[in-house]
Amino acid sequence: MLTVSTDEICAAIKDGFMDTRSILEPAGALAIAGVKQWAAAANTRDQTYVAITSGANMNFDSLRFVSERADASETLLSVVIPERPGAFRQLIGRLEPRNVTEFSYRHAGPGADAAHIYISFQAAGAEDNASVIAALRADGCETLDLTANELAKDHARHLAGGRVTIEHERLYRFEFPE
């Protein structure tokens, strides 16, 4: 049995669309995601595989989510930078020439000397991702890779913005089955 991530399912929906111009529902794309994962793990090439797919049980809100999560090159980081002139430019300098796809900034609060950044960028691969993280850490930036963190990916854009005004702020996650 294989277990695939939400991102792998979204990538499979995109692959299905690119190959057939049909939009699959997530459950229908599950077989493609599984075959892709198995083929990569088995290191097979030039083989033909069959995946049974289904469905068009998809709405526009779901398509937006799929589109955002389908890109496997996307890396989400949490970075703490000093709140001083030039710190943002230094952060972006470590990411150039990569595409920055999402950016959220949060000042740590009155009197604080740090800013909390959630930033997504397109890495060329695992080595590229690791080199960016190493460079940021070498600059003294506290850096956390959130790429595999489902909670962060679902909610990161809502966690930042403006100054902190809530003392001891907490985030809770609840999932309710449909």
Side-chain angles (χ1 to χ4, degrees):
M1 176 167 50
L2 295 173
T3 303
V4 296
S5 70
T6 301
D7 290 352
E8 289 171 309
I9 293 170
C10 291
I13 292 170
K14 180 180 175 182
D15 291 342
F17 177 77
M18 297 305 285
D19 289 345
T20 67
R21 294 295 190 233
S22 296
I23 299 174
L24 301 169
E25 65 185 16
L30 191 59
I32 295 173
V35 167
K36 284 176 58 178
Q37 186 186 91
W38 182 86
N43 200 25
T44 61
R45 294 189 177 277
D46 302 320
Q47 301 290 317
T48 300
Y49 300 98
V50 175
I52 307 299
T53 63
S54 65
N57 187 13
M58 182 72 73
N59 60 42
F60 284 107
D61 289 334
S62 297
L63 282 174
R64 181 180 49 81
F65 176 82
V66 168
S67 173
E68 290 172 357
R69 301 284 295 268
D71 188 356
S73 69
E74 191 94 19
T75 299
L76 174 63
L77 300 179
S78 170
V79 183
V80 179
I81 65 172
E83 188 63 65
R84 62 167 170 71
F88 175 72
R89 179 68 223 147
Q90 186 175 2
L91 169 71
I92 296 302
R94 291 299 187 184
L95 296 172
E96 288 177 333
R98 297 162 195 89
N99 292 328
V100 174
T101 56
E102 188 156 352
F103 177 84
S104 296
Y105 165 97
R106 178 175 237 167
H107 188 273
D113 58 356
H116 296 263
I117 309 288
Y118 289 98
I119 192 162
S120 291
F121 66 94
Q122 291 178 315
E127 289 179 18
D128 186 35
N129 182 25
S131 72
V132 169
I133 292 170
L136 290 170
R137 288 180 177 157
D139 286 345
C141 296
E142 183 181 327
T143 305
L144 181 61
D145 187 350
L146 300 173
T147 303
N149 184 322
E150 290 296 317
L151 177 63
K153 284 200 259 186
D154 285 345
H155 300 287
R157 72 175 47 98
H158 306 292
L159 294 178
R163 295 183 183 266
V164 177
T165 57
I166 302 170
E167 190 173 331
H168 307 295
E169 179 181 29
R170 289 183 173 79
L171 174 68
Y172 295 95
R173 179 180 184 177
F174 298 93
E175 288 190 27
F176 299 97
E178 291 183 21

